[in-house]
Amino acid sequence: AKAALNKVNLGYKAVYKASSTVESGKIISQDKEAGSSVDKNTTITVTVSSGEETKATATVPSVTGMTESNATSVLQNAGFSVNTDYSYSDTVESGNVISQSPSGSSSAQEGTTVTIVVSRGKEVKNVTVPNVLGLDESTARQTLESNDLHVSVNYVTSASNVAYGNVISQLQFWHICTVRFFYYNYCKPL
């Protein structure tokens, strides 16, 4: 380019710029449009590709267990972008980082996006406790356990007219359903 410009009495000035689309040493652009008229000895400024910009490599900080805001600050201060996903966890307190990708202590280019997964705490599932009054023990237990309820059974003896081995009452607590089964022990009045 320099020789071609000098041949027609024009000056040449090169400015270098990183480009991911233009090969190193090739011209990206020029300040005067090709084919336009300019005065003799005008300097044409061309922008030449210096190739892809190389970013510095840094160690990704480990932020597992930190609060979301602390983890975000640490990663951004280290030169990384942050993407946040959320998930339930039985072991990590709500608001704290469960995991990250890329992992802590690995190397990555500055500006890389680090995805952190933040705990929403334990997942609470609401279920409707089915009525098992009058059912036999096996059917009642199966019905309750199929709804992810824990079953606690109390066996009692009663003189009521409930069939032997059937549920006579049920109590429900936060996630435990206590069921009382009646084993009929009827005494005939004298």
Side-chain angles (χ1 to χ4, degrees), residues 82-176:
V82 179
N83 178 53
T84 306
D85 289 333
Y86 298 90
S87 182
Y88 291 103
S89 173
D90 290 338
T91 58
V92 178
E93 186 178 327
S94 180
N96 289 352
V97 177
I98 299 168
S99 63
Q100 69 182 80
S101 179
S103 61
S105 301
S106 63
S107 294
Q109 286 187 342
E110 288 182 1
T112 297
T113 298
V114 177
T115 299
I116 59 174
V117 179
V118 177
S119 173
R120 289 185 169 166
K122 291 183 179 184
E123 183 175 15
V124 176
K125 296 178 185 177
N126 292 320
V127 296
T128 301
V129 178
N131 182 359
V132 294
L133 292 175
L135 298 178
D136 64 81
E137 179 179 357
S138 175
T139 304
R141 182 180 296 278
Q142 183 179 12
T143 300
L144 294 168
E145 289 176 347
S146 70
N147 282 289
D148 292 326
L149 295 169
H150 300 282
V151 179
S152 171
V153 178
N154 292 332
Y155 299 97
V156 296
T157 302
S158 173
S160 67
N161 287 331
V162 176
Y164 178 81
N166 285 2
V167 177
I168 61 168
S169 71
Q170 72 181 57
L171 303 169
Q172 62 189 47
F173 300 99
W174 183 54
H175 67 282
I176 298 174

